């Protein structure tokens, strides 16, 4: 079979057979549920991690979700509670309540914690002007990075320092943003340097989306991302890894395992780690049948994760939510299914049951060679 293919072209029978070969049935329910580890347990077998994005109110008040998280995850990421507009409602004043609650939960249960995100073109507080000169932009950005990274120093293991700086149609391949307009591409190394000063022990990541599939737009995005990382390494900027969001869309784009693997190898050659940071799989374009959707979603995720985990510098996988109850894809009109059915984008169904996506992820972790 050609490696250049659309996942929708695979048959459900082939998907089921593949999952069965892993010793797990189509619905992801192991024969002995009481002894089957969570995804974090499967990831740990090869020295990797599995985590999920969470909201502190859910962990506080929702015992069902809390149990699911503790069963499946070894790493937590705040879905929104470390973003600038949440932390700083007024200039110079920070409220870390939500993030601190997540940090305390992680510590109490011996879970890792990632920070998301320090510098982004979105989630800016309304008091921040839409235009700044270079000097003021640098001062404001560096002050924010310093305040947040220093507050969580020793508690957050890694940060998404700069998020989504690339736009294939933008000037020089960069997204036009408050920071880019004021500082050009220099805002990226400046942000990393500020984060390293505030917390020298944290691992610092550049985080980007649409890096996995085979389209001209994603070709450009991969090339520009590699260019950014190469510059940072060449200039001695403290960057430790690339975050690959992996918001996948089943049935939309072809997937070329070889092309993705070559990109991962090029990033690793820069002496950088790789982490999937926001994974989910949209089924918006798939037929209504739950069985067909689940099989197609699982097959795409399995292909991408198998390629990803073949790279020795791949350290783990984080999903953007754990259960279909939580997926953001049902919240935005541009991402909802046109038939009104809820999306089935995450490893657990709305009742917390393990789905074919969970099975595909477990299988990918189990098949990964141990990290050196």
């Amino acid at each position: 079979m050609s490696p250049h293919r659309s996942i929708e072209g695979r048959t459900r029978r082939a998907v089921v057979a593949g999952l069965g070969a892993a010793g797990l049935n189509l619905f992801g329910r192991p024969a002995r549920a009481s002894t089957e580890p969570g995804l974090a347990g499967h990831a740990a077998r090869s020295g990797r991690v599995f985590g999920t994005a969470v909201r502190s109110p859910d962990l506080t008040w929702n015992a069902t979700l809390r149990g699911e998280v503790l069963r499946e995850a070894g790493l937590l990421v705040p879905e929104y509670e470390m973003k600038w507009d949440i932390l700083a409602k007024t200039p110079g004043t920070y409220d870390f309540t939500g993030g601190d609650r997540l940090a305390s939960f992680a510590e109490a249960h011996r879970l890792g914690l990632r920070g998301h995100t320090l510098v982004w073109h979105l989630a800016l507080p309304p008091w921040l002007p839409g235009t700044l000169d270079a000097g003021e932009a640098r001062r404001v950005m560096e002050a924010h990075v310093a305040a947040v990274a220093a507050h969580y120093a020793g508690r957050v293991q890694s940060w998404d320092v700069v998020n989504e700086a690339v736009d294939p149609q933008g000037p020089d391949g960069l997204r036009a943003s408050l920071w880019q307009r004021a500082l050009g591409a220099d805002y990226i190394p400046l942000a990393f340097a500020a984060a390293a000063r505030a917390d020298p022990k944290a691992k610092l990541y550049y985080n980007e989306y649409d890096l996995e599939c085979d389209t001209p737009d994603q070709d450009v995005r991969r090339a520009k991302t590699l260019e950014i990382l190469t510059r940072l390494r060449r200039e001695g900027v403290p960057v430790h890894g690339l975050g690959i969001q992996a918001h996948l869309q089943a049935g939309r784009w072809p997937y070329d395992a070889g092309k993705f693997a070559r990109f991962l190898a090029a990033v690793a050659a820069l002496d950088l780690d790789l982490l999937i940071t926001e994974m989910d799989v949209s089924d918006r374009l798939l037929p209504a049948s739950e069985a067909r959707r689940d099989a197609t979603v699982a097959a795409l995720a399995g292909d991408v994760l198998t390629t990803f985990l073949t790279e020795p510098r791949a350290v783990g996988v984080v999903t953007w939510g754990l259960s279909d109850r939580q997926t953001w894809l049902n919240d935005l009109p541009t991402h909802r299914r046109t038939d009104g059915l809820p999306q089935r984008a995450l490893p657990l169904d709305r009742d917390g049951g393990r789905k074919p996506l969970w099975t595909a992820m477990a299988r990918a972790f189990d098949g990964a060679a141990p990290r050196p």
Side-chain angles (χ1 to χ4, degrees):
M1 180 184 294
S2 168
H4 185 116
R5 66 195 187 280
S6 169
I7 197 67
E8 178 65 6
R10 296 179 60 172
T11 67
R12 181 169 177 258
R13 177 177 297 177
V15 174
V16 175
L19 298 178
L24 299 164
N25 70 24
L26 174 64
F27 298 99
R29 299 187 184 104
R32 294 182 294 172
S34 61
T35 60
E36 179 70 21
L39 288 172
H42 285 275
R45 292 171 177 171
S46 63
R48 293 175 169 86
V49 298
F50 170 75
T52 188
V54 293
R55 308 167 187 170
S56 69
D58 292 340
L59 290 179
T60 302
W61 304 111
N62 189 327
T64 298
L65 174 63
R66 188 164 61 246
E68 293 166 357
V69 168
L70 293 175
R71 182 185 75 198
E72 300 288 348
L75 177 69
L76 302 182
V77 181
E79 187 170 322
Y80 65 87
E81 288 160 297
M82 292 185 188
K83 292 176 179 174
W84 198 338
D85 61 341
I86 299 298
L87 291 174
K89 301 294 187 184
T90 57
T93 301
Y94 284 84
D95 181 357
F96 293 106
T97 302
D100 287 353
R101 191 180 296 123
L102 285 176
S104 296
F105 182 91
E107 290 161 356
H109 296 282
R110 299 183 179 181
L111 304 174
L113 183 67
R114 296 195 77 238
H116 176 82
T117 177
L118 293 173
V119 177
W120 192 24
H121 65 285
L122 297 176
L124 298 174
W127 52 263
L128 193 63
T131 303
L132 295 170
D133 63 33
E136 187 67 2
R138 179 172 180 174
R139 184 192 70 78
V140 170
M141 182 185 73
E142 290 182 337
H144 171 71
V145 171
V148 180
H151 179 84
Y152 287 107
R155 306 183 83 183
V156 165
Q157 297 174 341
S158 65
W159 276 102
D160 290 329
V161 177
V162 175
N163 193 41
E164 301 177 359
V166 173
D167 178 358
Q169 281 74 51
D172 298 323
L174 291 178
R175 182 183 301 278
S177 69
L178 172 63
W179 315 114
Q180 184 274 336
R181 287 190 293 270
L183 296 164
D186 289 344
Y187 86 88
I188 300 173
L190 288 171
F192 275 92
R197 289 193 297 269
D199 186 359
K201 294 183 178 180
K203 299 294 185 181
L204 307 180
Y205 280 70
Y206 173 69
N207 197 45
E208 189 56 79
Y209 70 100
D210 280 359
L211 298 173
E212 311 83 18
C213 291
D214 186 17
T215 70
D217 182 271
Q218 295 196 32
D219 286 342
V220 175
R221 194 178 295 275
R222 279 187 289 268
K224 187 63 183 181
T225 297
L226 192 60
E227 178 186 319
I228 290 170
L229 295 173
T230 300
R231 176 196 172 188
L232 295 178
R233 295 296 288 157
R234 183 177 62 244
E235 296 178 357
V237 175
V239 57
H240 305 109
L242 171 65
I244 296 173
Q245 293 185 16
H247 291 295
L248 305 173
Q249 300 189 50
R252 182 174 183 186
W253 295 312
Y255 172 65
D256 186 324
K259 183 173 285 190
F260 189 40
R262 289 189 293 273
F263 171 70
L264 298 174
V267 175
L270 296 172
D271 194 24
L272 295 173
D273 286 336
L274 294 133
L275 178 69
I276 285 181
T277 55
E278 304 182 25
M279 181 179 162
D280 48 29
V281 188
S282 172
D283 65 20
R284 185 173 65 90
L285 300 178
L286 300 182
S289 164
E290 283 191 2
R292 188 171 177 184
R293 282 194 278 159
D294 285 355
T296 303
V297 162
L300 174 57
D303 280 354
V304 172
L305 291 181
T306 296
T307 305
F308 178 74
L309 294 169
T310 299
E311 170 52 55
R313 296 300 295 263
V315 301
V317 177
V318 176
T319 55
W320 206 247
L322 191 57
S323 160
D324 291 334
R325 296 187 309 271
Q326 303 161 268
T327 180
W328 66 287
L329 296 171
N330 291 327
D331 297 336
L332 299 179
T334 53
H335 293 280
R336 293 179 192 144
R337 291 180 58 89
T338 57
D339 58 14
L341 292 172
Q343 291 227 35
R344 296 174 60 81
L346 293 168
L348 305 182
D349 65 23
R350 299 179 72 86
D351 298 320
R354 291 168 170 175
K355 293 162 45 189
L357 175 56
W358 185 98
T359 304
M361 295 177 70
R363 183 188 182 196
F365 282 130
D366 290 346
R371 294 193 69 212

